[in-house]
Amino acid sequence: MSTTTGAPLRVPRRHDPALTIWTVAGLCWVGTVVLALTGGHELAHHDAVLEESTLAWPLRITAFLAVWLVMVAAMMLPTVMPLVRLFGPVSARAPRPRAARAGFYLGYLTVWTAFGPVALFGDAGIHRLVDTWPWLDERSGLVLAATLALAGAFQFSPLKNRCLSVCRDPASFLWQHYRRGAGGGWRLGLGHGLYCLGCCWALMLVMFAVGVSSLAWMLALTGVMLVEKTTRFGARLVAPVGVALLAGAAVVAVPALL
C-alpha cells in the first residue's frame, strides 16, 4: 500500500454572512448621510410626497420607498445578524441556498417596506389634524411629546416583551419555522420581520416625529434596537429607555402647555 505526502488538505472556510450584512448596512449609512447632506431625504417627508411634489403618484411613492429602504436597511439589517448567521449554514445544506437566502431577505424587507407608507400617511394625518385644530397648532410640541410617551409606554408592554424574546432567541425561531427553498426563506424572513416590527415600530415612529433626516436620532434609535435585540444585557436596557422616553415626553409637553 503506497502513501503520498504533500501539502495538508485545505478545508474551505465558510463565508460569514455577517460580512455581507455589515457591508450593505454600511453602504446604506453612507447613502443616508449623502441624502441628508444633499437634501434627498426630503423625498421621504410627508409634505414632499403628498403636497409639494409635481411627480406622478407612482413616482412619488417610488422615490419615498427608495429613500425609506436605504434608511431601514441601515438601521435594521444589523439587528437581524444573529438569525442570518444561523440561517446561512442551515440553508447551505439544502438545494438552492442562495434562493433561500434571497427569499429570507426579501420577506424581511417586505415587512418594513409596507410599514413605511403606513407611517407616512399616519404622520400626514396628524399634521393635517394640527393644521385644522388651532389649539393644537399653537402647541405642536404636544405631537412629539405624545409620540415619545407612546414609545416609552410601549417599552413596558407585553407585546414588546414577547417580540423581543423571539428576536433574542433566533435558534428557537429557526428551529420552529425553517423550511427549505426560496418559499421557506420568504416565510422565515416575513415572520421574523413581523416580530422585529412588533418590538421596534414605536421607536421608528419617534424618527418620523423628530424628522426622517435626523442622523443623530437615527444613530441613537439604531443603537437602542441593536442592543435590545442582540445582546445579553438587552433586556436590562428596555426599562431605562422607556423611562427616558417618558421623561423626554414630559420635558417637551410641559413648555408646550404653558
Side-chain angles (χ1 to χ4, degrees), residues 81-102:
M81 196 79 67
L83 181 58
V84 169
R85 300 189 82 164
L86 292 175
F87 181 61
V90 171
S91 62
R93 304 188 187 106
R96 302 180 63 198
R98 291 183 179 178
R101 294 164 194 165

Side-chain angles (χ1 to χ4, degrees), residues 101-162:
R101 294 164 194 165
F104 172 81
Y105 294 128
L106 182 61
Y108 182 80
L109 290 176
T110 294
V111 173
W112 282 104
T113 301
F115 177 72
V118 173
L120 172 70
F121 285 101
D123 183 51
I126 291 173
H127 279 80
R128 180 160 297 184
L129 174 64
V130 171
D131 292 339
T132 58
W133 189 356
W135 183 87
L136 187 58
D137 190 29
E138 295 174 358
R139 301 165 178 83
S140 57
L142 292 178
V143 175
L144 175 58
T147 306
L148 292 171
L150 173 63
F154 186 70
Q155 290 289 110
F156 301 97
S157 70
L159 178 60
K160 171 85 176 189
N161 183 62
R162 166 63 177 158

Side-chain angles (χ1 to χ4, degrees), residues 68-82:
W68 171 249
L69 276 176
V70 170
M71 297 171 64
V72 162
M75 297 178 71
M76 303 311 303
L77 280 180
T79 72
V80 78
M81 196 79 67

